[in-house]
Amino acid sequence: AQTVTQSQPEMSVQEAETVTLSCTYDTSESDYYLFWYKQPPSRQMILVIRQEAYKQQNATENRFSVNFQKAAKSFSLKISDSQLGDAAMYFCAYRRGYNFNKFYFGSGTKLNVKP
Amino acid sequence: DGGITQSPKYLFRKEGQNVTLSCEQNLNHDAMYWYRQDPGQGLRLIYYSQIVNDFQKGDIAEGYSVSREKKESFPLTVTSAQKNPTAFYLCASSIVGQASTGELFFGEGSRLTVL
């Protein structure tokens, strides 16, 4: 069974600094998707970044980037130049492939941003 | 604008009552989902549906029921058999097939409190 593990329940970062959130997953598949979602206090789930497993290049979206290590089954999220608005819960998620409709979520990491 | 609409945002229920949460999407997505989120925890899948008139149980389906009579709509009924229904409920949808970019699109959620 696929599992997603986020080993850091809570992290803190100083404004303007960089922070990395960890995620590992377990799968025997070669083709799959990985995601990071942000859930601010409003509780709306917002997609931060996606990675397709067949792509070797790490995905980036402005200040957000990932370190995707397929062999190690690791998918960490790096937030550069942290802003107060980045404070939220962050969830890592896995989807087997576009014809498979179950998503697996980690337990989340609460990110605090200090001014 | 396309999106997912959940209603009501807040709902109070007396013990022993059934309650139905609405989820409507105009994204033309085939797959729809219901997740439950408890305080400080991740998302747990209740039910999902890949096509009209078909749905599958997720990890915590007991005490819940769904229907999928229209592509756009996937209501969730929380029955009196659900022993601890107070939670935040998220509806989501996704594209199925090669056109998919993989991710889930979420509604804003419904907060159910049992008095």
Side-chain angles (χ1 to χ4, degrees):
Chain A
Q2 285 82 8
T3 58
V4 178
T5 303
Q6 293 179 251
S7 59
Q8 305 150 317
E10 189 165 357
M11 294 191 72
S12 294
V13 63
Q14 206 71 34
E15 199 176 3
E17 307 251 309
T18 296
V19 65
T20 298
L21 309 184
S22 300
C23 173
T24 58
Y25 57 95
D26 182 30
T27 185
S28 57
E29 304 299 323
S30 60
D31 186 23
Y32 50 87
Y33 297 94
L34 294 164
F35 311 92
W36 279 99
Y37 280 90
K38 171 185 178 181
Q39 188 179 42
S42 68
R43 307 200 75 172
Q44 170 84 56
M45 293 284 281
I46 303 163
L47 178 68
V48 175
I49 202 164
R50 83 166 69 78
Q51 176 81 43
E52 291 160 274
Y54 73 88
K55 292 184 177 178
Q56 293 185 340
Q57 187 172 7
N58 289 327
T60 62
E61 288 287 342
N62 301 314
R63 297 182 295 107
F64 299 87
S65 61
V66 298
N67 182 5
F68 173 47
Q69 299 188 7
K70 192 171 184 179
K73 298 179 185 176
S74 171
F75 184 60
S76 60
L77 175 69
K78 185 171 84 170
I79 306 174
S80 304
D81 185 26
S82 296
Q83 300 175 0
L84 295 177
D86 294 333
M89 284 289 288
Y90 286 83
F91 293 96
C92 179
Y94 165 98
R95 176 183 183 178
R96 182 174 165 187
Y98 60 72
N99 277 328
F100 298 90
N101 294 313
K102 284 195 78 173
F103 290 72
Y104 298 85
F105 285 84
S107 55
T109 296
K110 183 179 180 183
L111 179 65
N112 304 305
V113 180
K114 300 177 182 178
Chain B
D1 284 339
I4 300 174
T5 302
Q6 288 187 241
S7 62
K9 284 189 169 29
Y10 300 95
L11 186 61
F12 297 88
R13 188 194 93 174
K14 292 183 179 179
E15 280 194 33
Q17 288 181 335
N18 291 355
V19 62
T20 297
L21 307 180
S22 171
C23 178
E24 303 278 332
Q25 55 103 354
N26 61 4
L27 300 168
N28 199 33
H29 288 175
D30 290 304
M32 295 187 74
Y33 309 76
W34 275 105
Y35 288 91
R36 170 179 171 143
Q37 187 177 28
D38 293 286
Q41 297 189 26
L43 280 65
R44 293 187 289 169
L45 181 64
I46 305 172
Y47 269 98
Y48 67 103
S49 168
Q50 300 179 122
I51 196 170
V52 173
N53 292 324
D54 186 49
F55 45 83
Q56 289 77 41
K57 292 182 179 180
D59 302 314
I60 55 164
E62 185 175 351
Y64 299 97
S65 66
V66 293
S67 63
R68 187 89 186 274
E69 297 177 2
K70 299 186 299 182
K71 187 176 184 179
E72 305 79 26
S73 179
F74 192 43
L76 174 74
T77 297
V78 185
T79 74
S80 56
Q82 169 49 235
K83 298 200 184 319
N84 186 19
T86 294
F88 186 66
Y89 292 88
L90 281 160
C91 180
S93 69
S94 71
I95 300 171
V96 176
Q98 288 185 322
S100 174
T101 49
E103 73 265 32
L104 279 170
F105 295 76
F106 284 90
E108 294 185 342
S110 294
R111 174 74 183 170
L112 172 63
T113 302
V114 174
L115 303 172

